[in-house]
Amino acid sequence: MDTIILTSTIAEEIQLSIAPVFLLTAIAGFLNVLGAHLSRAVDQLTLDEGSAAGSARDVRRIHYIIWSSRLSVMTAILVCLVVILIFLGDHVEPDLTGFISFSFVAAMSLLTVALILFLMQLTVARERALIIAKAGKRDVKK
């Protein structure tokens, strides 16, 4: 009888861990996007070596991307911790629900800040694109 209860408990734990695993997949996709943006920003920094304003803008963008990446990785680590704690929760003596809740809220907070930083780097990239577009219009008039 204990085996049936234990098996159903494990099945419930697996069901509870499915959503965080999908979240990990989304974070991996987001990190892939951040990597592409970082590569583009570094390329632009290399092209803008003569322009101090352009270089400063590119460096700021790179900082936003790097911090967004760091926070995303920390989010993924906390989500992994949530999954681990879900499995351990039924098998250890102290109640871990408070720690699981805290870890998940912390993960969502870090992800929120990472997404805000991503938006900030997009704003910097937009500023750069507008400057290039204005410069292009001037060149066409000449």
Side-chain angles (χ1 to χ4, degrees):
M1 189 70 175
D2 290 337
T3 306
I4 294 172
I5 294 171
L6 185 60
T7 304
S8 66
T9 302
I10 291 173
E12 290 172 7
E13 291 168 352
I14 291 171
Q15 288 174 343
L16 287 173
S17 66
I18 293 296
V21 169
F22 282 121
L23 181 57
L24 287 172
T25 303
I27 292 169
F30 183 55
L31 285 168
N32 190 25
V33 169
L34 287 170
H37 281 255
L38 180 61
S39 175
R40 179 76 176 144
V42 169
D43 289 345
Q44 289 173 349
L45 180 64
T46 305
L47 292 174
D48 285 345
E49 286 179 354
S51 168
S55 292
R57 189 176 297 106
D58 293 333
V59 168
R60 185 168 33 125
R61 182 178 176 202
I62 289 168
H63 282 290
Y64 290 147
I65 295 169
I66 289 173
W67 273 104
S68 184
S69 298
R70 287 176 180 161
L71 293 174
S72 297
V73 169
M74 286 190 276
T75 299
I77 291 168
L78 282 173
V79 171
C80 289
L81 182 63
V82 166
V83 172
I84 291 168
L85 291 174
I86 286 171
F87 278 93
L88 288 179
D90 289 337
H91 306 288
V92 296
E93 185 55 38
D95 183 22
L96 298 176
T97 54
F99 195 66
I100 293 170
S101 298
F102 173 79
S103 298
F104 189 76
V105 169
M108 292 301 97
S109 299
L110 290 174
L111 185 58
T112 301
V113 175
L115 291 169
I116 289 169
L117 289 170
F118 181 68
L119 283 175
M120 291 171 67
Q121 77 84 25
L122 287 176
T123 302
V124 173
R126 180 183 169 272
E127 290 171 4
R128 185 182 194 289
L130 289 174
I131 290 169
I132 290 171
K134 287 179 184 178
K137 287 179 184 178
R138 287 187 209 135
D139 291 341
V140 172
K141 292 179 184 178
K142 291 180 182 178

